Amino acid sequence: MATVRRDFFLDPVDRLTEQERALMLAMLGDFVAGLAAEIAAAANSGFAMPDLAPVTAALTSSGQLDRPGLVSLMLRRADEHRIAVAFAGPGGPRALPMLSRLVGDSDPAVAAAAMALVVARGRRRDGFGQPRIELSDLDPADVAPLVHAVAAALSPSGVAEARFAAAAANIATAACPADSLDQAVASLADALVRSDRDSERLIEDSSGEGEAALAAHLIARRSGITPQAAWDHLLDAGEGGLALLARMAGLSRKAAARLIADFGSTIGTASVEDEMARFDGLEDEEVAAQLAHWRLPRDFRIARTLLGYAHG
């Protein structure tokens, strides 16, 4: 009953959509299955792979999969997928023209970074085109605990435990954050910035084609905030987040309208008119105060929020 009561009174705004929940559950199951297979192969145990449903259930019931970094990553991937599908139209996901153009860019650094992103995204799609996550995508602090948790749940008792523990340690050590999808997006954003192009035009292009992750990274570099902060504001449509993000990035009214029209209708509930009114009504002092706040270290901002202090 306590669970029912919490669920019943949960604000619908904070509730996962059915699509988000389905995508996240699929990602989690795929992640555990892939990691289990890798651990078993590394352990060289020769035992038959068990049914992974009880393994996942045991990990879930013991709370070992309830890690903020893992959940946040899966939610972000689910939202990126949802946005990409919405922009692709009824025909389903497609190769986005912006990336296709950048793969053939005259700047070798941009072309290489774009190709690396295409390859990284391809690895993170299952046979049905649904999103996947890899170990390298996780926060480094989550890697070892999750690998050892899966190994412990998978390992037979007795002498095999040592092999499974050693396999888990080797796999966790080999995980490389430089191979993450986020790093591939960051590398492309860095290459584009170094190529001295019109950053506002790049943001408009990425926004117009549903390249949400790239748009967030480009906006972050233009405003001096973190990509995660830019992403959070990008998804805060209907609460003034998009308008504030556009102002913090110093976008022109035209570019701001494009950003708000593209993502506001896909993600949020506020009309373009309401969000643009917010954009026009923000005072420079308020924008400066918010910008100063979002440039602070993340741990400091979290502490301020927990203490109940206002932003800025």
Side-chain angles (χ1 to χ4, degrees), residues 6-237:
R6 285 195 300 270
D7 183 72
F8 183 77
F9 288 106
L10 186 65
D11 189 330
V13 174
D14 298 326
R15 192 184 301 273
L16 289 173
T17 66
E18 289 304 315
Q19 184 186 27
E20 286 173 332
R21 184 182 298 276
L23 288 169
M24 290 171 70
L25 284 172
M27 272 185 275
L28 185 60
D30 176 83
F31 173 72
V32 171
L35 190 52
E38 187 176 359
I39 291 168
N44 194 25
S45 61
F47 86 113
M49 181 70 72
D51 179 10
L52 290 177
V55 173
T56 303
L59 290 167
T60 301
S61 62
S62 62
Q64 296 187 75
L65 297 179
D66 185 12
R67 301 186 69 86
L70 174 62
V71 176
S72 176
L73 173 64
M74 293 191 298
L75 178 59
R76 187 149 42 90
R77 292 289 181 265
D79 286 332
E80 288 175 12
H81 180 76
R82 179 166 60 97
I83 294 167
V85 170
F87 275 79
R94 58 179 173 79
L96 294 175
M98 182 180 186
L99 277 187
S100 299
R101 293 195 304 271
L102 292 177
V103 165
D105 197 87
S106 59
D107 186 325
V110 170
M115 178 56 75
L117 178 54
V118 170
V119 172
R121 283 183 175 173
R123 288 204 316 267
R124 290 164 176 83
R125 290 285 183 269
D126 65 16
F128 300 98
Q130 302 301 298
R132 301 175 60 248
I133 58 172
E134 295 187 352
L135 195 60
S136 61
D137 295 325
L138 297 177
D139 186 308
D142 288 327
V143 170
L146 282 169
V147 175
H148 282 285
V150 174
L154 190 67
S155 171
S157 59
V159 68
E161 288 182 324
R163 290 203 301 271
F164 275 78
N170 290 335
I171 290 170
T173 301
C176 181
D179 295 332
S180 71
L181 182 57
D182 285 339
Q183 185 55 54
V185 177
S187 295
L188 177 56
D190 287 339
L192 288 168
V193 170
R194 286 195 300 268
S195 66
D196 198 27
R197 306 181 192 206
D198 183 345
S199 62
E200 185 168 274
R201 177 61 184 273
L202 288 171
I203 291 170
E204 285 190 80
D205 288 346
S206 56
S207 170
E209 297 187 14
E211 282 284 357
L214 182 58
H217 274 266
L218 291 169
I219 291 170
R221 281 154 179 75
R222 184 178 169 100
S223 58
I225 62 178
T226 65
Q228 182 61 55
W231 176 262
D232 289 343
H233 283 81
L234 199 64
L235 291 191
D236 201 15

Side-chain angles (χ1 to χ4, degrees), residues 207 219 230-249 251 256 258-268 270 275-276 278-279 282:
S207 170
I219 291 170
W231 176 262
D232 289 343
H233 283 81
L234 199 64
L235 291 191
D236 201 15
E239 299 294 333
L242 274 171
L244 177 60
L245 183 63
R247 284 295 303 273
M248 289 194 298
L251 297 183
R258 179 63 185 268
L259 186 74
I260 290 168
D262 288 334
F263 290 113
S265 59
T266 305
I267 303 167
E275 202 74 5
M276 285 305 298
R278 166 73 171 157
F279 175 84
L282 281 167

